[in-house]
Each structure stands twice: as C-alpha cells, then as structure tokens.
C-alpha cells in the first residue's frame, strides 16, 4: 500500500475505545487503520511516530467567536484558527454574531467566506443568525451550508438581537420544515433585565451583583421554554453552554421523552466556579456565569452520560480594556478565551483527574459535535474515508498555560496559570501537518470552509 503519511505506533482513540493502530493517509483522507504488524507492507512519503502517544480525531469546536469580519480588535481568523491548530482543534464552527454584519443571509455568508478564506489555518464552518427579521432567509442560509441557527433569549451585544418566544416558535417551525438545527443562548431576558435594573437602582455593581443578576432559574426557564417549543414544532434544538446540572437534567428528561434536544457545555464550567469570579475578577466573567463548585462537579455526570454531547470553548475574546472593572462588574465584557486550551484542559480533567477513558475526549470534542452539527462522515472520527484530521497528544507531557503560550490576538484568558498533563503536539488537517513543534506548519489560507450535510439525521440517543 502507498500512502502520503503514516502515523504509526500510536494508540488510536475513537468514541468507542482505544486501539493500537497505524493510520494511513492519502489525498487528505484516512485510507486504512492497520495493525502494527502490517507496517512492512506500507510505503509512506512521511512517517510520524506516535509511540507512547494518543492519536485523537481533531476537535470540532462548535462554539467559537472569531469576530471576523467586524470586531477584529478582539480576535481574527488568523489568530483564532492558529490557536485552534495549536490546541488540536481542526474545525471551528464560528458564531454569526460579533460579526459586522451579523451572518443573516446567504449573501453575507458568501462575503464572510471571502473575508476569512485567506486567513484560516484549520477548517471552519459557520453558524447562521436568527434575528427575527431574517425568517425568510433561513432556508437560503441552510442551503448555503450553515450548521445551525443561533438564537439569543437573554441580553446580547448591540450587533445582535434578543428574540421573544413568538418569533422563536415561528423560526422553529421554519427550521423543522427542512430539518435545521437551532441553538440557543438560553437565559431568560426578563429575569436578568429586572435584576440588572434593580442592581443599578441600588447602585450595586460588585462581582456578587453580577452573579446574582444571572440566576440558575433564568437558565432553567429559558431551557424549559425551548424544550416545549421543540416539542410543539418538532424542530431540532441545541442548548449552548449549559452551566448547571439542573439545566442539564431538563435536557436529559427531554431526551428521555424522545425529543430532539442536545446539550453543550464548555471547559470553563467544568474547571472553574463562582469563587474564581469573586476572588479573581472579570477575566472569569462569562454568561451564563460560573456556578458553585458542587454544581461544577455534578455537571461532569451529564458530560459522561452524553446529555451534554458537545464540549466546546465558547471562545469569546476581547481587548484587555474591555475587562476593566472600574465601571463595575455588570459593565465589564463577559467572555472567556479558550479555543487553544479546549483539548488539553478537557483531556487532563477527564483522563488524569477523573480517571475517565480517553474515548470520552473523542466523543465530546469530535464525534458528538460532528453528529449534531451535520459534519459526520467527513469530520469528527478516525475512520476509513473520513478527512485525516488528527491530533497526536502526549498524555504525560505537563503544561502550564501562560500568556506567552497563547496564540490569540489578545493574550488574556481565565486559563492562564492553569496546569495539567496531556498536550496536543501535532495537528493534521486533511492529512497535512498544520501544527507541530510549537509552530504553524502550513500557510494561512490552508483551512477550508466545511458545509453542513446530512440535515435529515436525527439526534441519536
Ligand atoms: Zn458564545
């Protein structure tokens, strides 16, 4: 057998388990998984020795804000996708907001593609926007290849719009007509707005006031509303960045009833808690906010059982001045940068600190995201015929996240200072090494747009 690259002697990780195998790659795809004894019969142009290491499917980060085009003082595609490659993320699914303009029709889809295509190091897909005034554009966005539509139920930045349930219901009816997926920032606007006003009237602007303005009940109510509207319309819905086990429990019950509801959480909810906000400040501010340590631990149960089938970064960068607390904790920017640390942190926390199988990493970072977001077949798993999006990870290599190690435009993150073990070292996208030895190995522009397919696929239980 002839191939372009042979990744040999590694422990190949899939959602089903871990097996020692050699991965043969040709023309960007996996062409064979071979028992190590078959080596002699393979001729490869390039051999990567993964002895003692794991070979994982590249992560698909289904929740990232690269801010390009539009808000490129916060992040841009060049920095964001380079950080992705450094961290073992081979496909970034970019959000439609924090873009100028927000991605709300097929024409803007095409323009965004043009604006970023020369800047991407890894592959990428787009979320579409659902802003209330583009209901008649949903079908064309779907046909253009968006993976899902993003809805905000809670307060949002001025470039986007919060929807009421009437508009959401109509949007879900439209999405259901073509099998589209609608993803939600699920926090109840009225509760949060009221609490923010109450705090402002009383002149309360402390960190604790921010946390109190976004109670768990606001997240639960919004999630329950989405679930009921999914039941009523038959639409597939996805709850983004679940922060609390009581929210995850609602999703679990809905799934047990057979509804097409999926859930996602983010590494910061699995590692940090509200004490970090209270003690260390605005760098830990995000929405929904970090919850208490008991909730953080209980959230893991739902990651393990698959209720939360995707673990994403919600990479949400900003300029350092936007984290300034001088006007109070309610005014500072909410968002945590985490695309580069997604795999390393999740691997360390799951495998080393909780003794879970590395297959959970493949399941929640790659296979689950590919399945829910219509990328399966091409992306998200190591199998014959799929894109050779691979990560060689040294499970014993220790790391400490520093500002200098970050490839973001703005080198700030809640994860700075965190230590762990298990480091993505080499990243391949479609059979080409894009990152190794701490440096990019392919030119910007190598990354390609990936479009959703298999829209008819139902969420599996
Ligand atoms: Zn987000």
């Amino acid at each position: 057998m002839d191939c372009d690259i042979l990744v040999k002697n590694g422990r190949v990780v899939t959602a089903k388990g871990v097996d020692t195998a050699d991965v043969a790659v040709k023309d960007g795809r996996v062409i064979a998984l071979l028992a190590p004894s078959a080596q002699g019969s393979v001729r490869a142009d390039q051999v990567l020795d993964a002895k003692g290491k794991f070979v994982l499917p590249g992560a698909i980060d289904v929740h990232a804000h690269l801010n390009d085009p539009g808000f490129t003082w916060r992040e841009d595609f060049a920095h964001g996708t380079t950080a992705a490659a450094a961290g073992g993320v081979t496909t970034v699914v970019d959000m439609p907001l924090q873009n100028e303009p927000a991605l709300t029709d097929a024409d803007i889809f095409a323009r965004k593609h043009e604006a970023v295509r020369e800047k991407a190091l890894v592959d990428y897909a787009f979320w579409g926007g659902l802003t209330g005034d583009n209901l008649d554009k949903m079908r064309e966005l779907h046909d253009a290849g968006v993976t899902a539509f993003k809805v905000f139920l809670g307060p949002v930045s001025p470039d986007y719009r919060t929807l009421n349930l009437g508009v959401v219901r109509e949007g879900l009816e439209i999405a259901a007509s073509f099998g589209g997926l609608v993803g939600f920032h699920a926090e109840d606007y009225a509760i949060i707005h009221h609490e923010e006003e109450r705090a402002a009237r009383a002149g309360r602007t402390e960190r604790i006031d921010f946390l109190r303005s976004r109670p768990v009940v606001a997240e639960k109510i919004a999630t329950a509303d989405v679930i009921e509207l999914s039941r009523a319309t038959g639409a597939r819905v996805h709850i983004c960045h679940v922060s609390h086990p009581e929210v995850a429990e609602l999703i679990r019950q809905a799934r047990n009833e057979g509804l097409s509801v999926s859930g996602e959480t983010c590494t910061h909810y699995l590692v940090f808690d509200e004490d970090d906000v209270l003690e260390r400040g605005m760098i830990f501010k995000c929405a929904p906010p970090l919850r208490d340590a008991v909730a953080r631990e209980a959230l893991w149960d739902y990651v393990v059982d698959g209720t939360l089938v995707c673990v994403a970064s919600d990479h949400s960068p900003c300029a350092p001045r936007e984290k300034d607390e001088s006007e109070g904790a309610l005014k500072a920017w909410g968002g945590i940068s985490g695309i580069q640390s997604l795999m390393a942190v999740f691997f360390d926390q799951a495998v080393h600190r909780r003794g879970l199988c590395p297959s959970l990493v493949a399941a929640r970072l790659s296979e689950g995201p590919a399945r829910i977001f219509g990328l399966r077949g091409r992306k998200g798993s190591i199998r014959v015929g799929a894109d050779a999006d691979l990560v060689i990870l040294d499970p014993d290599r220790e790391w400490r996240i520093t500002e200098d190690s970050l490839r973001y435009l703005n080198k700030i993150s809640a994860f700075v200072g965190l230590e762990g073990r298990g480091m993505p070292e080499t990243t391949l996208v479609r059979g080409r090494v894009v990152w190794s030895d701490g440096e990019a190995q392919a030119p910007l522009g190598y990354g390609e747009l990936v479009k959703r397919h298999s829209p008819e696929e139902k969420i599996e239980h």
Side-chain angles (χ1 to χ4, degrees), residues 63-65 95 97-98 150 152 185 240-241 264 266 287 313-316:
H63 194 148
H65 301 265
M95 281 289 175
L97 64 152
Q98 280 120 43
K150 181 68 181 287
F152 263 81
H185 182 120
C240 297
H241 45 51
E264 155 202 312
C266 308
S313 73
D314 194 3
H315 182 68
S316 190

Side-chain angles (χ1 to χ4, degrees), residues 48 85 88 390-393 423-428 433 435-437:
L48 300 175
L390 308 172
V391 176
I392 302 174
L393 180 146
M423 179 85 171
E425 292 184 328
T426 302
T427 304
L428 289 82
V433 175
W435 184 271
S436 72
D437 302 319

Side-chain angles (χ1 to χ4, degrees), residues 69-346:
F71 297 84
T72 48
W73 69 87
R74 291 187 180 128
E75 189 66 289
D76 57 39
F77 248 70
H79 287 88
T81 59
T82 300
V89 174
T90 52
T91 303
V92 178
V93 190
D94 192 45
M95 281 289 175
L97 64 152
Q98 280 120 43
N99 271 185
E100 190 55 54
L103 204 174
T104 51
D105 66 36
D107 186 46
I108 299 171
F109 183 108
R111 275 157 37 208
K112 178 169 172 174
H113 184 202
E114 277 307 308
V116 304
R117 65 187 308 160
E118 298 303 323
K119 299 184 185 180
L121 183 56
V122 302
D123 287 351
Y124 53 94
F126 295 150
W127 282 77
L130 179 42
T131 54
D133 52 8
N134 73 330
L135 291 164
D136 59 340
K137 308 289 187 188
M138 288 177 68
R139 180 74 214 209
E140 70 177 47
L141 278 169
H142 183 72
D143 292 341
V146 298
T147 55
F149 297 89
K150 181 68 181 287
V151 169
F152 263 81
L153 296 178
V156 64
S157 50
D159 59 297
Y160 212 66
R161 194 169 309 166
T162 301
L163 297 192
N164 68 51
L165 295 182
V167 179
V168 171
R169 178 167 171 261
E170 186 180 354
L172 288 180
E173 285 172 349
I174 295 167
S177 72
F178 51 74
L181 175 69
V182 183
F184 288 83
H185 182 120
E187 286 187 291
D188 184 77
Y189 179 88
I191 289 176
I192 295 168
H193 185 65
H194 179 78
E195 288 302 320
E196 287 179 345
E197 297 263 287
R198 207 152 71 108
R201 276 199 306 276
R204 290 189 280 104
T205 60
E206 301 296 315
R207 294 167 182 177
I208 187 70
D209 303 311
F210 158 66
L211 292 175
R212 285 180 182 151
S213 73
R214 289 177 176 264
V216 177
V217 70
E219 195 177 344
K220 288 177 70 178
I221 286 172
T223 300
D225 284 346
V226 171
I227 288 169
E228 284 312 309
L229 288 173
S230 171
R231 190 196 310 276
T233 60
R236 301 168 57 218
V237 298
H238 177 77
I239 309 297
C240 297
H241 45 51
V242 171
S243 72
H244 196 282
E246 290 179 15
V247 179
E249 181 58 30
L250 295 175
I251 298 169
R252 174 148 68 185
Q253 288 169 13
R255 293 171 60 80
N256 285 344
E257 292 177 50
L259 299 178
S260 288
V261 181
S262 56
E264 155 202 312
T265 191
C266 308
T267 34
H268 41 271
Y269 299 114
L270 297 169
V271 180
F272 303 126
D273 60 61
E274 61 186 14
D275 287 345
D276 291 303
V277 180
L278 294 171
E279 291 162 18
R280 300 162 78 187
M282 293 300 96
I283 200 82
F284 289 88
K285 179 177 175 180
C286 59
L290 299 172
R291 307 298 188 183
D292 64 43
V294 173
R296 179 198 67 206
E297 278 314 299
L299 202 55
W300 276 93
D301 295 341
Y302 296 89
V303 173
V304 171
D305 80 4
T307 301
L308 303 173
V309 70
C310 303
V311 175
S313 73
D314 194 3
H315 182 68
S316 190
C318 66
R321 62 184 150 78
E322 294 178 285
K323 285 288 189 187
D324 186 51
E325 203 175 351
S326 56
E327 289 187 51
L330 281 99
K331 290 242 167 74
W333 176 263
I336 291 174
S337 295
I339 199 168
Q340 188 175 332
S341 53
L342 170 66
M343 181 181 282
V345 168
F346 189 65

